[in-house]
Amino acid sequence: MKWHFGHKLALIMTMLVLLASCILGYTLVYRQFSMMQTQFVDTGNSLSSQLAAASVELVFTEDQLSLASLVFSLSDQPSVVAASVVNRDGEVLAEAGASLPAMNADQAYRSQGQVVTNEETVWFYSPVVFRGVSGGAAWVGLDRSEMIAGQRSIIRSGIVVVLLLVLSITLIAIRLGQSLAKPVRDLIEGTRAIESGHYGFRIRGQHQGEFSDLTQSFNHMSAELEQKQRVEQLFSRFVSDPVAARYMAQDNVELAREGKRVDASILFVDLVGYTAFSEGRHPEETAEVLNLYFTKFANTCHEFHGNVDKYIGDCAMLVFGCPQSDPEHRFHAMECALQIRDRITAMNRERTQANQPCLTIRIGVSGGTVLAGLLGSHERMQYTVIGEPANLASRLCDLADSGQVVTDGNFYSMLNQRHPLLTHANESHQIKGLQSSVNVLTVDAWADDPAKIARDDAGAHSVAEPSTGESPS
């Protein structure tokens, strides 16, 4: 059984009340018992002293008739069960009620106030003395059963009072514990909901005092977290998840703007014939087709650990190797390029059969050292990479024909050492913005791709362009 806060509070309060009641009850009962015992002993001693004083003359004159009358009159008093007068030799001169317990002479002449107990009867005695001469002793037996019954009644009453007190306190404690435990349970439920990412959770219960302030603070916190989550989700729609996670974790965005040199690969994929395709079409239809291809680009990019840097009109810029480090960024970039080419080709084939409009693509891939970071103004910034590899990838994309994946000789050499490629059309081109010429290669497939090798043997070194009825842009 799981003990909740209310159960624990009720148990603690009950135990404390029970302990306090036991201590207080024991003290009161002990004092009551002591008072009853003292009163009983005082009564017995007083009666035995009175009997001894009244028996002095009668004992020394041996007036047994008067002694008998005196003893019988004393035995008629309440709680007196027996009375007796004995001489110095222990012989009974007069008695009434129960017989005197047997005792020797030494016991019979003890000091005043000593008692002899016999079951429920307590005997009190006092010596009969005249001018320093002891003539015997007066004995009085009192019934202590009434005192015992009174003591038992006190114990029963104390137990009943303690039980009623404990029961009432327990019920109060349970009720109080429940009233205190509910806001605690609501808070626990809320924290678990927040922990699981359910930031829309709100505590609906009406609480009083400090719990009301706590509830309001929790609801305000959850509302702020929900708003923050919406901002993060919206932010992630404009930048890739790794970029969003990196910069949302930084306190100073200005420091985050400082670029960092990284080794990365850049891929540009362009839609061929987009300008002619968009002419004469509704913007909604054009946007639908454009989003279809961009979604294909983004999904394939994320599959190979890349990030969508930006969309530029009908072109997408994909980056591999930053912001998260990737030692195999060249391999992933080339694999992404080949997969995009093949997947778009397959999709176009299906759309052509369904008599739906389609576009072909061309891809340029390059890599090297770039500067990665936030660029822009204080009002608007964008994470991107700049440098010669980025410019080169864009120019290579412009050089590619429809359905081709083009790269430069340096990128090919770095990648081909570990991942051999099948290429053709190795040509030298003077790239705008670069002083030296660049070797440009068209990539067919990986050297260990059996399907591509078979196609190469059949003379298929390029991807057929679907017929759209449009001219390239």
Side-chain angles (χ1 to χ4, degrees):
M1 176 181 178
K2 185 177 180 180
W3 286 82
H4 297 288
F5 174 75
H7 299 151
K8 294 178 181 178
L9 180 61
L11 179 62
I12 292 174
M13 293 183 65
T14 302
M15 295 301 295
L16 290 176
V17 171
L18 181 60
L19 178 62
S21 300
C22 290
I23 295 175
L24 181 61
Y26 175 79
T27 303
L28 295 177
V29 170
Y30 178 78
R31 290 185 59 187
Q32 191 71 16
F33 279 18
S34 298
M35 292 175 59
M36 295 176 67
Q37 184 68 28
T38 301
Q39 184 179 5
F40 181 78
V41 172
D42 290 343
T43 301
N45 288 331
S46 176
L47 290 176
S48 64
S49 298
Q50 292 176 8
L51 179 59
S55 303
V56 173
E57 181 180 355
L58 301 178
V59 169
F60 280 95
T61 60
E62 297 183 355
D63 188 354
Q64 294 185 350
L65 181 60
S66 299
L67 281 174
S69 177
L70 179 62
V71 168
F72 276 107
S73 64
L74 181 63
S75 64
D76 289 337
Q77 295 189 21
S79 72
V80 177
V81 296
S84 180
V85 177
V86 299
N87 60 19
R88 61 182 299 137
D89 296 327
E91 297 175 352
V92 177
L93 300 178
E95 66 177 355
S99 299
L100 185 68
M103 65 188 69
N104 55 37
D106 293 334
Q107 291 176 320
Y109 295 104
R110 291 178 182 174
S111 62
Q112 182 177 357
Q114 297 294 315
V115 298
V116 176
T117 303
N118 180 19
E119 297 179 355
E120 293 185 353
T121 302
V122 179
W123 291 89
F124 299 85
Y125 63 90
S126 295
V128 179
V129 181
F130 179 72
R131 293 182 179 181
V133 179
S134 177
W139 291 82
V140 177
L142 297 183
D143 184 10
R144 65 173 183 175
S145 60
E146 184 177 351
M147 180 187 69
I148 294 175
Q151 292 176 342
R152 290 175 179 172
S153 177
I154 292 174
I155 293 176
R156 286 195 297 269
S157 299
I159 292 176
V160 171
V161 170
V162 169
L163 290 178
L164 291 177
L165 181 61
V166 169
L167 179 60
S168 60
I169 294 298
T170 300
L171 295 177
I172 295 174
I174 291 175
R175 177 58 181 163
L176 179 61
Q178 289 176 346
S179 63
L180 294 177
K182 187 178 186 309
V184 175
R185 289 196 300 268
D186 291 343
L187 186 61
I188 292 175
E189 183 182 359
T191 54
R192 289 176 177 172
I194 295 298
E195 184 181 6
S196 63
H198 183 202
Y199 299 121
F201 182 88
R202 300 291 186 273
I203 297 178
R204 305 298 181 184
Q206 298 296 326
H207 305 300
Q208 303 297 327
E210 290 80 359
F211 286 114
S212 177
D213 297 336
L214 181 61
T215 299
Q216 293 178 6
S217 298
F218 178 86
N219 289 339
H220 178 72
M221 179 196 69
S222 60
E224 292 294 326
L225 289 175
E226 185 179 21
Q227 178 67 19
K228 179 176 178 291
Q229 184 187 41
R230 283 198 291 263
V231 172
E232 291 177 356
Q233 291 175 346
L234 184 63
F235 184 47
S236 298
R237 297 291 297 273
F238 292 94
V239 298
S240 62
D241 290 340
V243 175
R246 174 181 178 180
Y247 287 102
M248 282 190 296
Q250 298 197 16
D251 297 329
N252 194 333
V253 180
E254 292 300 321
L255 293 178
R257 294 181 64 186
E258 298 180 0
K260 179 181 179 182
R261 289 182 173 271
V262 296
D263 191 44
S265 296
I266 297 90
L267 184 154
F268 275 85
V269 52
D270 183 34
L271 291 172
V272 179
Y274 171 76
T275 302
F277 171 82
S278 60
E279 291 181 359
R281 297 182 186 272
H282 294 294
E284 292 80 6
E285 182 184 0
T286 303
E288 180 182 359
V289 175
L290 196 63
N291 289 335
L292 175 67
Y293 283 89
F294 282 168
T295 300
K296 208 73 167 179
F297 300 162
N299 291 341
T300 308
C301 175
H302 295 153
E303 183 180 342
F304 296 101
H305 315 292
N307 300 307
V308 178
D309 186 277
K310 64 174 69 71
Y311 296 106
I312 311 170
D314 59 343
C315 179
M317 176 180 174
L318 314 180
V319 179
F320 299 81
C322 66
Q324 72 273 29
S325 178
D326 181 10
E328 292 289 334
H329 61 83
R330 289 181 176 82
F331 170 76
H332 289 145
M334 183 57 68
E335 179 68 11
C336 177
L338 296 176
Q339 288 292 333
I340 288 177
R341 181 196 64 184
D342 295 342
R343 293 177 185 181
I344 294 300
T345 300
M347 185 180 72
N348 285 341
R349 186 179 302 112
E350 295 175 358
R351 292 180 64 84
T352 300
Q353 294 175 355
N355 197 27
Q356 294 175 333
C358 56
L359 296 168
T360 56
I361 60 169
R362 55 187 177 188
I363 301 174
V365 185
S366 186
T369 302
V370 294
L371 184 67
L374 293 176
L375 296 179
S377 64
H378 291 281
E379 291 78 14
R380 184 174 182 181
M381 292 180 289
Q382 181 182 20
Y383 181 87
T384 188
V385 297
I386 58 175
E388 184 177 308
N391 297 331
L392 180 57
S394 177
R395 300 302 181 189
L396 292 174
C397 182
D398 294 338
L399 291 175
D401 292 331
S402 176
Q404 288 186 340
V405 177
V406 174
T407 187
D408 61 281
N410 184 56
F411 187 89
Y412 168 79
S413 299
M414 296 289 292
L415 181 61
N416 198 62
Q417 295 175 5
R418 297 182 56 187
H419 305 284
L421 287 167
L422 295 177
T423 63
H424 70 280
N426 187 349
E427 301 175 354
S428 179
H429 287 263
Q430 184 63 45
I431 303 298
K432 182 180 179 181
L434 299 180
Q435 295 181 356
S436 58
S437 60
V438 176
N439 290 331
V440 178
L441 300 92
T442 301
V443 180
D444 296 323
W446 299 108
D448 55 356
D449 184 355
K452 183 59 183 175
I453 294 175
R455 291 197 299 270
D456 290 343
D457 293 340
H461 293 287
S462 61
V463 180
E465 177 182 345
S467 175
T468 63
E470 317 287 356
S471 61
S473 60

